[in-house]
Amino acid sequence: MLRPHFEGGLTNWQVAWSLSVSHSTVNDLLGRFQVAGLDWPLPEDLDEAALEAELYSGNTGKSRRRPEPDWNQIHRELSRKGVTLQLLWLEYKDRRPDGYQYPQFCERCRLWSGKLDVVMRQDHRAGEKVFVDFAGQTVPLTDPRDRPGEPSSGVRGHLWSL
């Protein structure tokens, strides 16, 4: 990547296209080259292993730890009206700019919420109760007789037996 850039005069995009790598890979390598304080042409006594050690000296192979959100707080906030996971992520990133990006934030939230024990046991006799599920934030509906309403659904609570 270094030779086509320095000797061939190719741009980062051209180097990336010619080597079938992403341009961010080329940008990363050239940034490491600059940070390492190396000059082109490279010294004759610098072999591949030494060059790699110079470019990746700060990389210990361990992934860096990102600040973990307070998942209990996230869970409580999600139960509030109008609060979305994206809104909570934006607030998290404002407080922790080095934190998780949105897809990883959502994945970790999903994994955390999968550990919750969410069980609601209800004892009832068949046909004794009706369970209604309201649709949350709704668009007002008006029926032809000018009666306003909101969408909802109801199910009678009974068991089918064969």
Side-chain angles (χ1 to χ4, degrees), residues 84-142:
T84 64
L85 197 56
Q86 186 172 18
L87 179 63
L88 293 173
W89 172 75
L90 288 170
E91 291 174 359
Y92 162 73
K93 283 296 278 186
D94 282 343
R95 288 189 310 274
R96 302 284 180 95
D98 59 333
Y100 296 113
Q101 295 301 321
Y102 186 65
Q104 189 68 14
F105 182 84
C106 292
E107 177 66 13
R108 288 181 172 269
C109 184
R110 186 187 64 76
L111 290 173
W112 180 86
S113 64
K115 296 176 185 175
L116 294 177
D117 185 25
V118 282
V119 177
M120 187 170 103
R121 304 212 189 285
Q122 295 182 349
D123 295 325
H124 59 85
R125 292 185 190 189
E128 187 176 76
K129 299 176 184 172
V130 174
F131 299 95
V132 178
D133 183 15
F134 293 95
Q137 289 182 327
T138 61
V139 176
L141 298 178
T142 307

Side-chain angles (χ1 to χ4, degrees), residues 44-114:
E44 292 291 325
D45 61 334
L46 191 65
D47 63 352
E48 287 276 329
L51 176 61
E52 187 172 342
E54 285 287 330
L55 294 177
Y56 297 98
S57 62
N59 187 0
T60 61
K62 295 179 182 176
S63 61
R64 64 182 181 143
R65 298 274 306 159
R66 298 193 183 272
E68 200 70 29
D70 180 3
W71 295 116
N72 288 317
Q73 178 68 23
I74 300 285
H75 184 68
R76 279 192 301 275
E77 290 292 322
L78 279 173
S79 65
R80 293 179 46 212
K81 189 175 183 176
V83 175
T84 64
L85 197 56
Q86 186 172 18
L87 179 63
L88 293 173
W89 172 75
L90 288 170
E91 291 174 359
Y92 162 73
K93 283 296 278 186
D94 282 343
R95 288 189 310 274
R96 302 284 180 95
D98 59 333
Y100 296 113
Q101 295 301 321
Y102 186 65
Q104 189 68 14
F105 182 84
C106 292
E107 177 66 13
R108 288 181 172 269
C109 184
R110 186 187 64 76
L111 290 173
W112 180 86
S113 64

Side-chain angles (χ1 to χ4, degrees), residues 5-57:
H5 178 76
F6 289 111
E7 291 180 5
L10 298 180
T11 66
N12 296 1
W13 285 93
Q14 291 168 327
V15 172
W17 184 81
S18 68
L19 297 174
S20 298
V21 297
S22 70
H23 77 280
S24 61
T25 302
V26 177
N27 288 338
D28 179 56
L29 182 72
L30 292 174
R32 289 176 182 272
F33 185 82
Q34 187 176 19
V35 168
L38 297 171
D39 292 320
W40 191 264
L42 294 171
E44 292 291 325
D45 61 334
L46 191 65
D47 63 352
E48 287 276 329
L51 176 61
E52 187 172 342
E54 285 287 330
L55 294 177
Y56 297 98
S57 62

